[in-house]
């Protein structure tokens, strides 16, 4: 049983942190300048109907000087091509050093998770595009659906022949320790469903979060029960919840372990927007990152063929109406 | 050929929904778009090697996800619109035989810059979620 972080772990973290701000891939030119045949291939395969990529008259009618490449194609201009993919040359540099260090930490698998392009200007046939990649951040180890891993965020800067930036791309990959093949997961202990609470589990199977409402005094109550604790009425209906709430309280369970759950297990009391509280699990967040009051949003998990349950994860920031 | 019209800032409102677009994910589409984006990773065109590497089949590459998100919003906006940002989070893979349904809605209008939130969902769940910012031409005086 080791608690806390060992000297070796801290040293490994520091070696990773040393990569932040480092150039992973020096500025590398694409194999060919931006050209119409490659644009045509892209536009046809993607079934792009917009004529400004191939028809110069249409492009001029929209205020452009000539045809323009699709914006997202910027990455394609700097792809290494077929030969370098199937017969890669031995290379040495920041990228190879970082991959070696991640391999050493056991993070041998990779999956891309996010891409964020900002386009400065449209690129046109004849542009000679190059790309440079710099490390932006490397996350602490996180538990993910694929296994524990670290998110590596880099910034790719695309420039034209004059060295002017035409686009940037924030690029995030998860470098993870592949989980060993696992047996089908054990199912959770089943809730006792009865006439008084069946409506709640039936709604959950349809991925609807509901709260019971007294139709006499309109107060909401949870967990479900036959009688209103406020006015003793037996008449009730339900209201649909927004699925948003905040963290009211939580515990981190380490033992005893049940094979249906991942540990450390976050058991939370979530205060729903509607006002009632719900005991549930947190997902997509580690105990270190949990804070009381954090905004949460419902997600649904299927546990066996007959049970669907709400769990809560960090809410994406809501767009504000005022701005 | 007459050019399709382009939307202008006064013609879009926060909350406007884009018409849904269902994209059949044929094997040909997945392979052709990978090659068109110069991505020769075997998992995007060789089913045998894709399975060997732990995937159930070949799957769409990210450049194509970006390309289809751009296509969806740019065609809604019109030919004179310029794409300023494309931001996506990747979810489940796009495998052959499935259909990805694109949906979107306008979430911000800031002068000529319009933000459209976009989702591309297949039978396994969300493949790509994110947003695109397009710059629209000025309203005619």
């Amino acid at each position: 049983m080791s608690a806390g972080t060992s000297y070796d772990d801290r040293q490994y973290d520091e070696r990773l942190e040393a990569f932040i701000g480092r150039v992973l891939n020096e500025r590398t030119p694409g194999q060919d300048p931006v050209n119409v045949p490659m644009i045509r291939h892209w536009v046809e395969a993607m079934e792009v109907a917009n004529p400004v990529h191939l028809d110069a008259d249409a492009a001029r009618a929209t205020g452009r000087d000539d045809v323009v490449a699709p914006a997202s194609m910027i990455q394609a201009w700097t792809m290494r091509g077929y030969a370098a993919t199937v017969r890669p040359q031995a290379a040495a540099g920041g990228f190879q050093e970082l991959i070696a260090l991640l391999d050493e930490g056991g993070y041998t698998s990779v999956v891309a998770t996010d891409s964020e392009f900002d386009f400065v200007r449209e690129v046109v046939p004849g542009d000679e595009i190059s790309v440079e990649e710099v490390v932006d951040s490397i996350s602490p180890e996180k538990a993910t659906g694929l296994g524990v891993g670290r998110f590596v965020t880099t910034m790719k800067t695309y420039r034209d022949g004059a060295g002017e930036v035409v686009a940037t791309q924030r690029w995030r990959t998860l470098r993870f320790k592949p989980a060993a093949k696992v047996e089908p997961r054990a199912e959770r202990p089943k809730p006792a469903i009865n006439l008084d609470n069946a409506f709640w589990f039936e709604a959950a199977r349809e991925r609807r979060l509901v709260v019971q409402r007294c139709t006499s005094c309109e107060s909401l109550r949870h967990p479900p029960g036959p009688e209103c604790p406020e006015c003793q009425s037996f008449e009730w209906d339900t209201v649909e919840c927004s699925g948003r709430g905040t963290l009211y309280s939580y515990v981190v369970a380490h033992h005893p372990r049940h094979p249906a759950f991942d540990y450390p297990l976050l058991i939370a009391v979530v205060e729903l927007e509607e006002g009632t509280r719900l005991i549930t699990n947190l997902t997509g967040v580690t105990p270190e990152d949990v804070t009381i009051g954090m905004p949460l949003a419902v997600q649904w998990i299927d546990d066996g063929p007959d049970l669907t349950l709400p769990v809560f994860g960090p809410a994406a920031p809501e767009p504000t109406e005022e701005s | 050929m007459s050019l399709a019209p382009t939307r202008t800032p006064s013609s879009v409102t926060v909350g406007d929904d884009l018409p849904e677009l269902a994209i059949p994910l044929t094997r040909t589409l997945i392979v052709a778009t990978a090659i068109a984006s110069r991505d020769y990773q075997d998992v995007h065109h060789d089913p045998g090697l894709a399975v060997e590497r732990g995937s159930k089949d070949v799957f769409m590459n990210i450049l194509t996800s970006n390309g289809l998100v751009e296509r969806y919003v740019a065609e809604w906006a019109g030919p004179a619109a310029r794409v300023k940002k494309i931001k996506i989070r990747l979810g489940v893979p796009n495998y052959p035989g499935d259909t990805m349904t694109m949906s979107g809605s306008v979430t911000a209008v800031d002068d000529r810059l319009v933000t459209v939130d976009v989702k591309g969902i297949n039978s396994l769940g969300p493949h790509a979620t994110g947003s695109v910012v397009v710059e629209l031409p000025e309203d005619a005086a």
Side-chain angles (χ1 to χ4, degrees), chain A residues 222-236:
Chain A
H222 188 84
E227 185 193 59
C228 175
E230 301 295 328
C231 75
Q232 286 73 52
S233 166
F234 285 91
E235 303 302 318
W236 57 269

Side-chain angles (χ1 to χ4, degrees), chain A residues 37-120:
Chain A
M38 275 176 61
I39 295 176
R40 187 184 312 283
H41 193 176
W42 173 288
V43 162
E44 288 187 354
M46 306 267 174
E47 295 185 48
V48 176
N50 191 341
V52 302
H53 305 306
L54 290 170
D55 177 342
D57 290 339
R60 285 186 201 109
T62 61
R64 295 165 169 105
D65 296 332
D66 200 344
V67 295
V68 296
S72 54
M73 210 181 158
I74 193 74
Q75 198 177 354
W77 302 115
T78 58
M79 293 293 276
R80 58 186 168 164
Y82 179 74
T85 304
V86 298
R87 289 181 292 278
Q89 302 290 309
F95 182 76
Q96 287 73 21
E97 286 174 37
L98 177 59
I99 298 310
L101 183 56
L102 289 163
D103 280 351
E104 182 190 321
Y107 310 107
T108 54
S109 292
V110 59
V111 61
T113 62
D114 298 87
S115 160
E116 295 178 28
F117 279 119
D118 279 273
F119 301 102
V120 178

Side-chain angles (χ1 to χ4, degrees), chain B residues 43-61:
Chain B
V43 290
H44 304 310
H45 63 257
D46 188 324
L49 287 175
V51 169
E52 226 170 80
R53 297 189 197 290
S55 174
K56 76 164 193 179
D57 202 336
V58 296
F59 55 93
M60 182 176 284
N61 69 330

Side-chain angles (χ1 to χ4, degrees), chain B residues 60-121:
Chain B
M60 182 176 284
N61 69 330
I62 298 159
L63 286 83
T64 302
S65 307
N66 271 317
L68 294 177
V69 165
E70 175 181 2
R71 164 192 156 188
Y72 177 60
V73 177
E75 282 173 22
W76 168 81
R82 298 181 186 214
V83 177
K84 301 304 288 181
K85 287 175 193 278
I86 303 172
K87 178 175 167 179
I88 60 170
R89 166 152 296 179
L90 295 153
V92 296
N94 267 344
Y95 291 120
D98 207 339
T99 298
M100 176 167 70
T101 302
M102 311 285 302
S103 62
S105 64
V106 175
T107 53
V109 180
D110 177 9
D111 195 14
R112 290 162 55 204
L113 295 177
V114 173
T115 305
V116 178
D117 278 10
V118 183
K119 283 190 184 112
I121 294 181

